[in-house]
Amino acid sequence: MKEKRWSVDIVIDEHEGRTRAEARLKAEAATLKGTGLARLNPSDPDVPEIGDELATARALADLAHQLIEATAADIEKVTKSPSDLKS
């Protein structure tokens, strides 16, 4: 059995109380990019790691959603029938 390797790179930047994360999936057949945002509530203490975690979690969730959509589209192409994965 051949091992496959996919990688996800996370890029995070902060600007004026907002954190943005980008999760980039590099797979054999595709590259997908998920984005996540977090903002500092003005009444909360500024802890950058929390914004990093939240923005990254949201970027990964976006990426996962896109991967499910891509999988559903691939199944529909092969089977010529609607897929249940979108629900």
Side-chain angles (χ1 to χ4, degrees), residues 2 7 17 21 34 36 40-41 43 46 60 64 67:
K2 180 183 173 194
S7 62
L40 177 64
N41 184 324
S43 65
D46 188 4
L60 289 168
L67 190 54

Side-chain angles (χ1 to χ4, degrees), residues 3-81:
E3 181 178 280
K4 297 178 184 180
R5 185 171 303 267
W6 291 10
S7 62
V8 176
D9 291 320
I10 309 290
V11 178
I12 302 168
D13 62 73
E14 298 176 32
H15 183 67
E16 295 181 5
R18 292 181 180 258
T19 303
R20 181 177 186 277
E22 219 176 69
R24 299 173 187 157
L25 170 67
K26 295 176 187 169
E28 293 174 4
T31 300
L32 296 173
K33 178 174 67 172
T35 303
L37 301 172
R39 71 172 173 80
L40 177 64
N41 184 324
S43 65
D44 290 341
D46 188 4
V47 182
E49 294 82 13
I50 294 172
D52 293 352
E53 291 168 350
L54 182 56
T56 298
R58 288 176 173 165
L60 289 168
D62 182 35
L63 183 62
H65 178 74
Q66 290 181 45
L67 190 54
I68 289 170
E69 291 292 323
T71 303
D74 289 345
I75 289 170
E76 290 171 6
K77 273 189 227 173
V78 171
T79 64
K80 309 287 191 264
S81 298

